[in-house]
Amino acid sequence: MLDDVIFLCKFAAAWLLPPGIFLLALLYLVRRLWRSAKRRLAAFASSLALIMYLLSTPLISSLLVKELEGVYPLPEAPAGDVIIMLGGGAFGDVPDFDGMGVLTSIPSSRLLTALRLHKRLGLPILLSGGQVDQASGNEAEIARRVLLSLGVSPDKIILENKSQTTGQNARFSAEILRAKGLLHPILVTSATHMERAVLNFAKNGVQVTAYPTDYLSGKGTAFHYTYLAPSAGALYDTTIVLRERLRTMVTKYIE
């Protein structure tokens, strides 16, 4: 009984916070437009509200995320001669345990997976990612400092610290791989990012073994009515999927 009350309160609270409160405001606008006989505008606003609502629900968001994250399943026995970890964000002016600069949550998850693969397979790690803008830190250099503090030998770390996009990750990493005679890389990046990353490496002549991590959704199919409540987190995950789909299309057909 108490659990039901808690879930019901969470469902109600979702409509008092963005994006729920904005959806209610939009529905109020629809009501006013309809009463003013502005039926076409009311229909447009209601359609917009419905689309926003659906994209903001964990139910729809998780379905979209699962489809994208399922493109490359996790290999049971990965094999190769180098591990490539792609960056995904860093702050250069934030103090850390042993210096300045921290990775954001996404590359931190990728780094943990790369480290565990390194521990299992003994392969070198190629860290790919530069400084995207003045407010960020150099991703590869910060990741290198973290790996060294966790006991990884310096000679097992390869640095690619100039790239600012996934395309540059692939291009600059491919140059390093060819120079070092590394032919079978294991690519570590977020599951939602993997399809586009693999495509970029393939366009640079590198066939990788995909090792996705940083999952946004589980594999379960259970349903709860709270999955129908609008959520900023769900909308953010939906935006990630739509962004990746768009950028993958651009990479495939335009770049």
Side-chain angles (χ1 to χ4, degrees), residues 113-240:
T113 298
L115 175 62
R116 295 172 73 184
L117 277 173
H118 166 75
K119 295 291 186 182
R120 179 193 296 181
L121 304 175
L123 301 178
I125 303 175
L126 194 166
L127 301 170
S128 178
Q131 183 168 342
V132 178
D133 53 49
Q134 291 183 347
S136 67
N138 190 287
E139 299 170 7
E141 293 178 4
I142 292 173
R144 179 180 184 275
R145 193 194 73 235
V146 174
L147 287 179
L148 291 175
S149 72
L150 293 172
V152 178
S153 175
D155 62 356
K156 289 292 187 178
I157 302 174
I158 305 170
L159 224 58
E160 184 288 290
N161 60 358
K162 296 180 181 179
S163 58
Q164 296 179 315
T165 65
T166 302
Q168 290 181 355
N169 285 141
R171 185 164 71 253
F172 298 159
S173 295
E175 293 172 359
I176 294 175
L177 294 177
R178 284 190 283 268
K180 293 183 175 292
L182 299 169
L183 304 175
H184 305 290
I186 301 172
L187 181 63
V188 175
T189 191
S190 301
T192 55
H193 182 233
M194 185 59 77
E195 182 179 23
R196 181 161 61 97
V198 170
L199 177 60
N200 273 283
F201 274 87
K203 294 189 74 170
N204 284 275
V206 179
Q207 300 301 315
V208 301
T209 296
Y211 201 93
T213 187
D214 185 42
Y215 286 85
L216 297 179
S217 179
K219 302 296 182 182
T221 57
F223 173 78
H224 194 274
Y225 70 86
T226 54
Y227 296 172
L228 297 175
S231 159
L235 183 58
Y236 175 73
D237 290 348
T238 299
T239 302
I240 289 178

Side-chain angles (χ1 to χ4, degrees), residues 77-98:
D81 51 14
V82 64
I83 300 163
I84 302 176
M85 189 211 92
L86 304 187
F91 297 112
D93 57 354
V94 176
D96 195 15
F97 183 79
D98 57 356

Side-chain angles (χ1 to χ4, degrees), residues 50-57 60-61 64 231 234-235 238 242:
L50 178 61
I51 293 171
M52 278 191 62
Y53 166 69
L54 291 175
L55 296 181
S56 300
T57 61
I60 299 300
S61 174
L64 295 174
S231 159
L235 183 58
T238 299
L242 296 178

Side-chain angles (χ1 to χ4, degrees), residues 55-74:
L55 296 181
S56 300
T57 61
L59 178 65
I60 299 300
S61 174
S62 63
L63 291 176
L64 295 174
V65 169
K66 285 176 185 177
E67 182 183 11
L68 182 57
E69 291 185 334
V71 173
Y72 286 96
L74 195 71

